[in-house]
Every structure is written in C-alpha cells, then in structure tokens.
Amino acid sequence: MILPIYTYGTRVLKAKAKPVKKVDAEVIKLIVDMFDTMHAASGIGLAANQVGKLQRVIVIDISDVENDKDAPVRDGIPVFKSHPPIALINPEVAASERAWSIEEGCLSIPGVRDVVERGEKITVRYKDTNFRDVELEADGLLARVILHEIDHLDGVLFLDHLAPEKRKEHKVELKKIQKGEIDVDYPVVTATAARVTSD
Ligand code: CO
C-alpha cells in the first residue's frame, strides 16, 4: 500500500522515532508499505517518520543505481555500487570515516537539493526483519543513504547540515513546500493542513 509522504514543515519530521521492541505483523506491514511508497516515488531511501510513523525503521533500495542514466560515472565505471534492497530496524552508526561531500535530495523536500558532507565508509548495526542483529560495513552511496535515513529517525533533515547562508538560498522553495505548493507525482501530507494531495 502506498502511503502519503510527509513533507517539510510537518511536525513528524522533527520528532525522534522510538525503537522497535519486536517485529510483529504491524512492523512487517509498515516495511512492505514503505518499500511500496519509496518505489512509487522513485526514491532510494525512506524513513518511517516520512510516512508519519515514529518507529526506528528505514528502507533502502539502490539496486538499480548503476542503471540510472543520471548516476555519476568515472572512467566509464559507475561511481555508485548497487546493493540489494534492505530494511533496517533500530539502526545505529558504530563507526564513520573518510568525510566526503555529494549532493542530496529528499522525498520530503521535493525540488530542493544541496551538497552535504558525511562519512564515506561506515559500520552500522541494526536488526533485520527476523529481529536478528546485523553488522554491516557500507561505503559510497549506500553509506550516504543510511546516514541520511538515520538522521530522519532523529528528526534531522539534510538541510540541518547546511550553513545558515546556504540554507537561506532555499527559503523561497521551502516556504512553498510548507504552503503545500508542491508539484510531485506521489501523495503527500503538507504542513498547511493534515491534507493529502495527489495528482
Ligand atoms: Co530524506
């Protein structure tokens, strides 16, 4: 089931999500719905906050990134390695190194992109859908998406990493999003009202 995505200015994006205590049918349904929602919006990552649920769950799918015609290429080789889709429950960053800067966007902040510095190589610990402990070493785009999504669980947006004067450059666009003036082809909940809009 495709869920509406909460956009910039909604309170749930600023809230801290709570740890999942066990994986039950409700959590599985949330994960399935989050994959559906992310794919319908052509996203590569989604956090539960973005569908209005304050649970520490994120989904990521960068499996198609090497086929993306817009993906950066260096010497004919895609810079971004693909990875099978994953769901991470209660993810925590255990280590992060080699800072790098690339441009990010967010399904909750449509039309706004900017360069953010984060770790390039990380170790993340999380529970899988069987609630087993997993330790994953990730680098490149996968690390980037994991860090962006974990931020969401803590109520942090990529905009919060920008210097104040850089953030100011997006002021007009952000105001529009807050007012619900959004042109996207996926359902959203905007800050102006608990209003669901879709084309
Ligand atoms: Co985001």
Side-chain angles (χ1 to χ4, degrees):
M1 192 171 97
I2 295 167
L3 306 169
I5 293 178
Y6 284 66
T7 53
Y8 180 79
T10 53
R11 237 185 288 172
V12 72
L13 293 181
K14 295 262 94 193
K16 206 169 155 70
K18 292 192 178 66
V20 171
K21 292 208 176 77
K22 65 173 191 310
V23 176
D24 53 16
E26 206 179 311
V27 171
I28 295 295
K29 177 159 173 30
L30 174 63
I31 289 169
V32 171
D33 288 348
M34 283 174 65
F35 271 113
D36 286 350
T37 303
M38 175 176 67
H39 287 142
S42 303
I44 55 173
L46 192 70
N49 298 49
Q50 293 178 277
V51 293
K53 306 272 193 276
L54 287 174
Q55 302 204 58
R56 299 190 80 81
V57 174
I58 66 181
V59 297
I60 293 172
D61 187 355
I62 60 162
S63 58
D64 207 26
V65 75
E66 286 171 28
N67 299 322
D68 182 348
K69 60 173 173 36
D70 297 325
V73 173
R74 192 183 295 141
D75 301 328
I77 299 158
V79 172
F80 295 154
K81 281 180 292 181
S82 68
H83 189 278
I86 38 170
L88 296 84
I89 297 166
N90 302 341
E92 273 175 41
V93 179
S96 175
E97 53 184 294
R98 298 202 305 239
W100 68 319
S101 297
I102 58 166
E103 199 180 71
E104 292 187 19
C106 181
L107 293 174
S108 292
I109 319 169
V112 177
R113 302 186 67 82
D114 213 324
V115 175
V116 179
E117 183 181 297
R118 301 185 191 269
E120 197 270 334
K121 186 175 182 291
I122 64 166
T123 304
V124 62
R125 296 197 184 113
Y126 63 94
K127 304 263 192 205
D128 66 11
T129 49
N130 293 310
F131 217 57
R132 282 189 300 234
D133 289 308
V134 178
E135 190 174 283
L136 173 72
E137 282 193 8
D139 60 8
L141 184 64
L142 181 60
R144 172 63 51 156
V145 181
I146 289 171
L147 293 174
H148 176 115
E149 302 311 331
I150 291 178
D151 262 1
H152 272 302
L153 300 180
D154 292 321
V156 175
L157 302 174
F158 83 83
L159 295 171
D160 299 324
H161 291 281
L162 302 181
E165 60 278 12
K166 279 296 273 172
R167 191 176 168 135
K168 229 179 266 171
E169 289 173 16
H170 302 296
K171 213 173 139 189
V172 173
E173 207 54 43
L174 292 174
K175 199 95 218 153
K176 277 190 190 169
I177 297 172
Q178 268 181 304
K179 284 197 287 185
E181 294 166 17
I182 304 173
D183 185 22
V184 290
D185 54 8
Y186 48 88
V188 294
V189 177
T190 68
T192 19
R195 184 166 65 93
V196 179
T197 57
S198 176
D199 296 353

